[in-house]
Amino acid sequence: MAQAVKTRTQETDIDKKVKSLLAQMTLEEKVGQMTQITLQAVSTQAKTKDQEHILDVKKLEEAIVKYKIGSMLNAWDAAFSLDYWRYIIKNVQDIVLNKTRLKIPVLYGVDAIHGATYTLGSTLFPQSLAMASSFNRDLERSAGEICSKEVRASGIPWNFYPVLDVGRNPIWPRYWETFGEDTFLVSEMGKAYIEGAQAADMSRDDKVAICLKHYAGYSVPLNGKDRSPAWIGERSLREYFLPPFKNAIDAGAETIMINSAEIDGIPGHANYHLLTEVLRNEWKFKGFTISDWQDIQRLHIRDNVADTQEEAVRMAVMAGVDMSMVPFDFSFCKILVKLVKQGKVPMKRINEAVSRILRVKFMVGLFENPYSKTSCENTFAGDRHTEQNYEAAKETIILAKNENNFLPLSKNSKLLVTGPTADKLSVLNGGWTITWQGNVEELYPKEKKTVLEAVKEKVGEENLVFVAGTDFNKEINIDEAVKATKNVDVVLLCLGESTYCETPGNIVDLTLEETQLRLASEIFKTGKPVVLLLLEGRPRIISKIEVMANAVVVSFLPGMEGARAIADVLFGDVNPSAKMPVSYPRYVNDFVHYDHKYLESRDGNVYNPQYKFGHGLSYTAYEYSNLRLSKKKIKKGESVKVKVDVTNSGKRAGKESVLVYLSDLFATVSPCNKRLKGFEKIYLEPGETKTVEFLITPEHMSFIGLNLKPVVEKGKFVVSVENLKDEFELI
Ligand code: BGC
């Protein structure tokens, strides 16, 4: 309560400051605030190999003084040191403070997706899909906390994260940037991240303003490719894709980036309905919207909805885009000034957008602290951060198959390690790691461990043979790998994906590459036991080889400490506790989600993925019992308490994510067979029992009805937890 009062006074104060500043601004200054350019636009091509980046101070001055730009983003092409970031920020804000009339600091933003991507040596956590496999909000909260500290330490107060797209199409190359296929899981992890990264006061010198993305419906491209059309009816949009954004706004998000593609023929940046009617009129969002990369220009040059660049700018601004990530030139400023002068964009709209931007600049403390001074530099990538990263990684390794308790392996085993993901750090991290594509292996920190190195530490050099076998899609020496099986007890077959991000990651077949499958079959022919380890950003189809493996371990990009965690799981130093945050498909054309409609599971159709949503094994066993509901009959508006006992009936301590689902049996809009409505991760010693409690609220019972509004209908609901079920009735 005290906090709410404080926020209100703070906001009133900020509102006054915004008003007074706005009143002093010229049209050009206002439009400049709405403009964001990339660092590349004010850089000169480096002339020698050692000159990593040359800041073109003249161009920078032109951007800030002549065009009055209000925001900048990202890096040259690879991560900078903390000191170099400080140098960039100092140059930028020095020009603002010494050479501009109103001294409005530039808001600098970066894609710090799983840590401070563009700062050398930063703590790089598991990517979102891996974090979602932990089903552990505390880990996500603390990842947010650490990420903000390291971004602030770089002098940057704004982060383009979290991604709140719901991953419903596994071939989409940004699948791993999501928290998986379930709306509730995405919402909860997003909220936890915001709590850690931004908290209630983003002006703190260890917090940053977060930016939600990509609003909305980006993640279900019809053809599976990045930046391609989605067809999502309004009802499904509201049921599956909007809730994470709405919840994040309720949790304090103040900036939101727009969907770079289109839904139902309306490009994200021209979507007045979503950007204004829903975001502003319905949700009362007070922060600002930012375009994605070049996407206003693309309304003309790519989407063909605007026949000129002028029309593209008019369309986007009038739809509700407040800031343009232009990002290479000043065309946006010039055009928008002209449009206002011609009366094609009203001044009122400009004032609205600029006020929203200034408000965030005040909220993030830029005016008092333009250089982002902070004490966080002292803890940057320190031991505590690394250990927390390792703690997170340990809970993101999914034990998907373990025939006859084949794992854990003995540390006395003799091992052949083979496959393209065995000895690379990039495959643990994915895109947005040091570079955009994350694929420049040479730039990775030498002290971090690959799977091969981490496994070597467990068994000793003398007990391990490494033969690459294949690269991702070309053979290196499969024969040699086969020969090397002779003197070992077990093969660790490391397959998966190389590193990619956005459009360069488009593929046409989700099946694991032919060469890797061939390496697998040749190894299986030898009859040696095989542990299949998959490191990948999306679930590549493995049905042809999976049956042959004695054990399968999957990790969706576990980050810089990932290999340590994998080795710990393989050799039993860590008891795995991750679960699938997606339905891992068995066949290339069978993408049924766990929360499918009844219609999808009849007449011979079944939900039959390789691994179900929520699947994940442990080295101990958990027994669920005594599911009980506080009420069997409820009235409208009432909630139901759910309790369940979970016992560790095995011999090892472990962590278990308890997942509770709700099924609405009959509804006017066809209901899902079940939907996740709660999860809690608990720790249990052998023999220990804990009671876990959930509250099923009216919101959980609701769905988007025929009138496109949330509705709760009378009837029976089934609560299920593991193999237990009970029901209640809304009368
Ligand atoms: C991506 C965004 C990112 C932006 C800035 C775009 O290509 O879609 O997720 O924030 O670039 O780097």
Side-chain angles (χ1 to χ4, degrees), residues 73-74 111 160 174 213-214 218 227 257 292-293 325 432 502:
L73 87 149
N74 279 358
D111 293 288
F160 307 132
R174 307 194 74 169
K213 61 191 193 183
H214 306 81
Y218 183 25
R227 289 178 161 83
M257 192 185 291
D292 200 343
W293 186 268
M325 188 187 285
W432 301 116
E502 301 187 49

Side-chain angles (χ1 to χ4, degrees), residues 680-695:
E680 282 310 321
K681 196 152 194 175
I682 54 170
Y683 172 82
L684 291 170
E685 292 288 344
E688 191 182 355
T689 299
K690 274 187 184 152
T691 302
V692 187
E693 273 190 47
F694 298 98
L695 191 67

Side-chain angles (χ1 to χ4, degrees), residues 279-540:
L279 194 59
R280 304 291 174 184
N281 304 349
E282 277 185 42
W283 296 356
K284 313 289 177 216
F285 176 59
K286 290 179 79 181
F288 73 84
T289 60
I290 172 163
S291 83
D292 200 343
W293 186 268
Q294 219 191 346
D295 279 331
I296 296 185
Q297 294 181 347
R298 284 175 179 154
L299 291 176
H300 172 56
I301 58 178
R302 185 194 66 182
D303 303 326
N304 292 33
V305 292
D307 55 3
T308 59
Q309 276 302 341
E310 283 73 20
E311 179 52 11
V313 172
R314 193 202 62 77
M315 211 177 228
V317 172
M318 292 315 291
V321 183
D322 297 319
M323 184 184 278
S324 170
M325 188 187 285
V326 190
F328 292 109
D329 58 40
F330 306 104
S331 54
F332 176 78
C333 311
K334 293 184 205 161
I335 293 172
L336 191 50
V337 167
K338 202 163 114 196
L339 289 172
V340 176
K341 287 188 175 156
Q342 291 170 342
K344 291 185 180 159
V345 171
M347 196 61 176
K348 192 167 161 253
R349 172 70 192 102
I350 301 291
N351 286 342
E352 180 183 70
V354 177
S355 303
R356 291 168 181 163
I357 294 165
L358 293 177
R359 181 170 160 275
V360 173
K361 288 193 173 187
F362 279 111
M363 288 179 90
V364 83
L366 257 189
F367 288 86
E368 299 85 59
N369 187 10
Y371 298 96
S372 274
K373 282 204 186 106
T374 170
S375 53
C376 292
E377 282 154 333
N378 302 332
T379 54
F380 180 87
D383 290 350
R384 194 185 80 76
H385 293 190
T386 307
E387 277 320 288
Q388 189 54 36
N389 188 8
Y390 173 49
E391 286 307 312
K394 288 199 283 198
E395 295 192 29
T396 66
I397 315 301
I398 309 169
L399 179 59
K401 177 179 178 185
N402 196 16
E403 213 170 61
N404 303 323
N405 294 325
F406 186 75
L407 290 178
L409 297 172
S410 146
K411 287 179 190 159
N412 297 321
S413 324
K414 283 197 183 319
L415 227 68
L416 164 68
V417 179
T418 181
T421 56
D423 198 21
K424 290 193 178 73
L425 287 169
S426 55
V427 295
L428 299 159
N429 285 283
W432 301 116
T433 306
I434 310 170
T435 60
W436 174 45
Q437 292 294 309
N439 56 0
V440 191
E441 193 69 33
E442 311 84 80
L443 298 179
Y444 277 71
K446 306 281 172 285
E447 71 280 9
K448 298 295 176 189
K449 292 197 170 23
T450 64
V451 169
L452 177 67
E453 289 161 351
V455 165
K456 207 179 273 178
E457 279 193 357
K458 299 285 183 193
V459 294
E461 186 132 26
E462 61 289 359
N463 287 326
L464 186 142
V465 192
F466 170 62
V467 181
T470 67
D471 200 345
F472 294 97
N473 51 14
K474 71 174 193 296
E475 178 172 345
I476 299 177
N477 49 1
I478 294 183
D479 286 356
E480 249 178 71
V482 168
K483 266 190 224 142
T485 56
K486 270 218 176 98
N487 303 318
V488 300
D489 307 315
V490 50
V491 181
L492 177 60
L493 177 60
C494 305
L495 306 182
E497 290 195 306
S498 62
T499 308
Y500 56 87
C501 191
E502 301 187 49
T503 309
N506 283 343
I507 52 171
V508 291
D509 187 346
L510 199 56
T511 315
L512 195 66
E513 273 131 350
E514 194 47 49
T515 330
Q516 296 190 57
L517 292 177
R518 197 146 54 77
L519 170 66
S521 348
E522 294 304 319
I523 296 285
F524 286 129
K525 277 188 206 154
T526 67
K528 277 278 145 95
V530 172
V531 176
L532 171 61
L533 168 67
L534 289 161
L535 286 167
E536 52 192 5
R538 59 198 145 190
R540 302 299 292 260

Side-chain angles (χ1 to χ4, degrees), residues 586-651:
R586 189 185 290 274
Y587 305 109
V588 275
N589 294 319
D590 194 16
F591 295 166
V592 180
H593 302 110
Y594 89 90
D595 54 351
H596 57 84
K597 299 297 182 80
Y598 291 104
L599 178 69
E600 292 172 272
S601 57
R602 41 171 294 148
D603 301 333
N605 295 320
V606 274
Y607 173 58
N608 182 29
Q610 189 78 58
Y611 306 116
K612 291 183 175 163
F613 177 89
H615 169 76
L617 305 169
S618 157
Y619 294 146
T620 189
Y622 301 104
E623 272 170 25
Y624 284 69
S625 61
N626 215 4
L627 177 69
R628 51 221 189 262
L629 309 183
S630 59
K631 289 175 192 158
K632 290 303 196 115
K633 288 202 191 303
I634 57 163
K635 294 200 195 95
K636 209 172 171 197
E638 288 183 346
S639 299
V640 177
K641 253 192 225 147
V642 175
K643 287 187 186 178
V644 66
D645 297 341
V646 187
T647 303
N648 181 349
S649 54
K651 293 197 177 69

